[in-house]
Amino acid sequence: GQQLNQSPQSMFIQEGEDVSMNCTSSSIFNTWLWYKQDPGEGPVLLIALYKAGELTSNGRLTAQFGITRKDSFLNISASIPSDVGIYFCAGPHAGGTSYGKLTFGQGTILTVHP
Amino acid sequence: DAGVIQSPRHEVTEMGQEVTLRCKPISGHNSLFWYRQTMMRGLELLIYFNNNVPIDDSGMPEDRFSAKMPNASFSTLKIQPSEPRDSAVYFCASSLSHEQFFGPGTRLTVL
């Protein structure tokens, strides 16, 4: 089945540092989604990517859809304490009857030290 | 829009009791997903509906779990009887395309 591998599993950084995480798959994805989950809350959609090579920004966040369509990257610039949380990549299952079912990566846990 | 609404936010119950979790999806969304999240297993898809019809329930752990979607604006996930290993955070999400929107979750503790 389709699997998404996220790395790193966890990151401990100082406030102000830039962060980079990625998501890879052995299968091709036509859409990549990046979510953030704050402690005690549900995942929130940060960025959606729909085209190979696409680079999209949302404030300090930038995500890229890999040209091979088998990977995606999320960068956070000038991290702040509220960036703490779990970041998930996700992509839709292949097949015409998936009705929006997503495969999720295992998540990257980000800790930011003030 | 208010987003996906889940209730209760927290539930503490004793082993053997029936638990019902509720979800109101975003108006206009036609797919609804129930997930369970634990430290050990991460985020697991339990069941999902499209146009109120269950499409895939292969993630439901066992017969103690059941889910219904009687109309486009309401779904329930029921556990009967509950067991301590069911303790987890349960999320409901809804979508119109691939972008799923999650509710705040129900934290279930079974003693």
Side-chain angles (χ1 to χ4, degrees), chain A residues 35 37 42 50 98-101, chain B residues 37 48 50 56 91 99-100:
Chain A
Y35 287 85
Q37 184 177 18
Y50 294 102
S98 66
Y99 298 108
K101 181 179 177 181
Chain B
Q37 187 177 42
Y48 72 101
N50 181 259
D56 183 354
F91 289 105
E99 298 177 15
Q100 290 184 20

Side-chain angles (χ1 to χ4, degrees), chain A residues 31 33 35 37 40-45 48 50 86 88 92-93 97-102 104 106, chain B residues 9 31 33 35 37 43 45 48 50 55-56 58 91 95 97-105 107:
Chain A
T31 299
L33 306 172
Y35 287 85
Q37 184 177 18
E41 300 294 331
V44 173
L45 183 64
Y50 294 102
I86 306 175
F88 293 99
H93 273 230
T97 58
S98 66
Y99 298 108
K101 181 179 177 181
L102 295 175
F104 281 86
Q106 315 96 307
Chain B
R9 289 295 309 272
S31 292
F33 305 80
Y35 292 88
Q37 187 177 42
L43 195 62
L45 177 65
Y48 72 101
N50 181 259
I55 302 299
D56 183 354
S58 60
F91 289 105
S95 72
S97 61
H98 295 306
E99 298 177 15
Q100 290 184 20
F101 295 85
F102 284 76
R107 180 172 293 277

Side-chain angles (χ1 to χ4, degrees), chain B residues 1-110:
Chain B
D1 200 317
V4 176
I5 298 173
Q6 290 187 248
S7 65
R9 289 295 309 272
H10 302 273
E11 177 82 26
V12 180
T13 190
E14 292 188 342
M15 182 173 64
Q17 296 297 306
E18 177 179 298
V19 174
T20 300
L21 311 181
R22 297 172 175 80
C23 175
K24 176 178 169 55
I26 293 173
S27 177
H29 283 188
N30 59 1
S31 292
L32 183 142
F33 305 80
W34 281 103
Y35 292 88
R36 178 172 68 176
Q37 187 177 42
T38 61
M39 290 290 289
M40 292 295 294
R41 300 174 70 93
L43 195 62
E44 301 175 276
L45 177 65
L46 300 177
I47 183 172
Y48 72 101
F49 297 82
N50 181 259
N51 292 326
N52 313 339
V53 176
I55 302 299
D56 183 354
D57 66 353
S58 60
M60 296 286 259
E62 46 197 275
D63 292 346
R64 297 185 297 107
F65 285 68
S66 62
K68 294 181 180 179
M69 192 165 185
N71 57 62
S73 59
F74 184 65
S75 177
T76 60
L77 177 68
K78 185 176 293 186
I79 308 173
Q80 165 65 16
S82 59
E83 297 182 3
R85 59 192 168 126
D86 301 330
S87 298
V89 181
Y90 291 81
F91 289 105
C92 174
S94 70
S95 72
L96 188 56
S97 61
H98 295 306
E99 298 177 15
Q100 290 184 20
F101 295 85
F102 284 76
T106 295
R107 180 172 293 277
L108 173 65
T109 302
V110 183

Side-chain angles (χ1 to χ4, degrees), chain A residues 4-5 11-14 18 21 26 39-41 43 47-48 50 57 59 64 66 87-88 90 101 111:
Chain A
L4 294 178
N5 298 306
M11 302 180 74
F12 298 83
I13 63 170
Q14 290 293 129
D18 295 343
M21 60 189 79
S26 58
E41 300 294 331
I47 291 179
Y50 294 102
S57 294
Q64 183 160 25
Y87 291 79
F88 293 99
K101 181 179 177 181
T111 303

